[in-house]
Short mmCIF file of all heavy atoms in Angstrom, two decimals:
data_model
loop_
_atom_site.label_atom_id
_atom_site.label_comp_id
_atom_site.label_asym_id
_atom_site.label_seq_id
_atom_site.Cartn_x
_atom_site.Cartn_y
_atom_site.Cartn_z
N VAL A 940 147.88 12.99 9.89
CA VAL A 940 146.70 13.34 10.68
C VAL A 940 146.99 13.12 12.16
O VAL A 940 147.53 12.08 12.55
CB VAL A 940 145.48 12.50 10.24
CG1 VAL A 940 144.23 12.89 11.03
CG2 VAL A 940 145.24 12.67 8.73
N PHE A 941 146.64 14.12 12.96
CA PHE A 941 146.95 14.09 14.39
C PHE A 941 145.70 14.33 15.23
O PHE A 941 144.80 15.07 14.86
CB PHE A 941 147.97 15.18 14.75
CG PHE A 941 149.35 14.91 14.23
CD1 PHE A 941 149.70 15.26 12.93
CD2 PHE A 941 150.30 14.31 15.04
CE1 PHE A 941 150.98 15.01 12.45
CE2 PHE A 941 151.58 14.06 14.56
CZ PHE A 941 151.92 14.41 13.27
N GLY A 942 145.70 13.71 16.41
CA GLY A 942 144.75 14.02 17.46
C GLY A 942 145.55 14.60 18.62
O GLY A 942 146.75 14.85 18.49
N PRO A 943 144.90 14.78 19.78
CA PRO A 943 145.59 15.42 20.90
C PRO A 943 146.86 14.69 21.35
O PRO A 943 147.83 15.32 21.76
CB PRO A 943 144.54 15.39 22.02
CG PRO A 943 143.25 15.14 21.35
CD PRO A 943 143.50 14.46 20.05
N ALA A 944 146.87 13.37 21.26
CA ALA A 944 148.01 12.63 21.79
C ALA A 944 148.90 12.04 20.70
O ALA A 944 149.62 11.07 20.92
CB ALA A 944 147.53 11.53 22.74
N GLY A 945 148.89 12.62 19.51
CA GLY A 945 149.84 12.18 18.51
C GLY A 945 149.23 11.83 17.17
O GLY A 945 148.05 12.09 16.90
N ARG A 946 150.06 11.19 16.33
CA ARG A 946 149.68 10.91 14.95
C ARG A 946 148.69 9.75 14.92
O ARG A 946 148.91 8.73 15.57
CB ARG A 946 150.93 10.56 14.16
CG ARG A 946 150.75 10.42 12.68
CD ARG A 946 152.05 9.93 12.04
NE ARG A 946 151.82 9.45 10.68
CZ ARG A 946 151.21 8.32 10.38
NH1 ARG A 946 150.78 7.52 11.34
NH2 ARG A 946 151.04 7.97 9.12
N ILE A 947 147.62 9.89 14.14
CA ILE A 947 146.60 8.85 14.12
C ILE A 947 146.26 8.34 12.73
O ILE A 947 145.55 7.35 12.59
CB ILE A 947 145.29 9.32 14.81
CG1 ILE A 947 144.83 10.66 14.23
CG2 ILE A 947 145.47 9.44 16.31
CD1 ILE A 947 143.48 11.13 14.76
N ASN A 948 146.77 8.98 11.67
CA ASN A 948 146.45 8.51 10.33
C ASN A 948 147.29 9.31 9.34
O ASN A 948 148.06 10.19 9.73
CB ASN A 948 144.96 8.69 10.02
CG ASN A 948 144.39 7.61 9.14
OD1 ASN A 948 144.90 7.34 8.06
ND2 ASN A 948 143.33 6.97 9.60
N GLN A 992 155.80 16.99 14.48
CA GLN A 992 155.80 16.67 15.91
C GLN A 992 157.18 16.14 16.30
O GLN A 992 157.38 14.94 16.44
CB GLN A 992 154.70 15.66 16.24
CG GLN A 992 154.34 15.65 17.71
CD GLN A 992 152.98 15.03 17.98
OE1 GLN A 992 152.86 13.81 18.03
NE2 GLN A 992 151.95 15.84 18.16
N VAL A 996 154.24 13.76 22.30
CA VAL A 996 153.17 14.31 23.14
C VAL A 996 152.57 13.11 23.86
O VAL A 996 152.14 12.15 23.23
CB VAL A 996 152.11 15.02 22.29
CG1 VAL A 996 150.97 15.52 23.17
CG2 VAL A 996 152.73 16.18 21.51
N ALA A 1111 145.40 19.50 19.09
CA ALA A 1111 146.64 18.85 18.67
C ALA A 1111 147.81 19.76 19.03
O ALA A 1111 147.64 20.97 19.22
CB ALA A 1111 146.64 18.56 17.17
N ILE A 1112 148.99 19.15 19.14
CA ILE A 1112 150.22 19.86 19.48
C ILE A 1112 151.18 19.65 18.31
O ILE A 1112 151.68 18.54 18.11
CB ILE A 1112 150.86 19.29 20.77
CG1 ILE A 1112 149.82 19.03 21.87
CG2 ILE A 1112 152.00 20.16 21.26
CD1 ILE A 1112 149.07 20.25 22.34
#
Side-chain angles (χ1 to χ4, degrees):
V940 182
F941 290 84
R946 188 186 165 287
I947 51 175
N948 214 306
Q992 199 161 81
V996 177
I1112 316 299

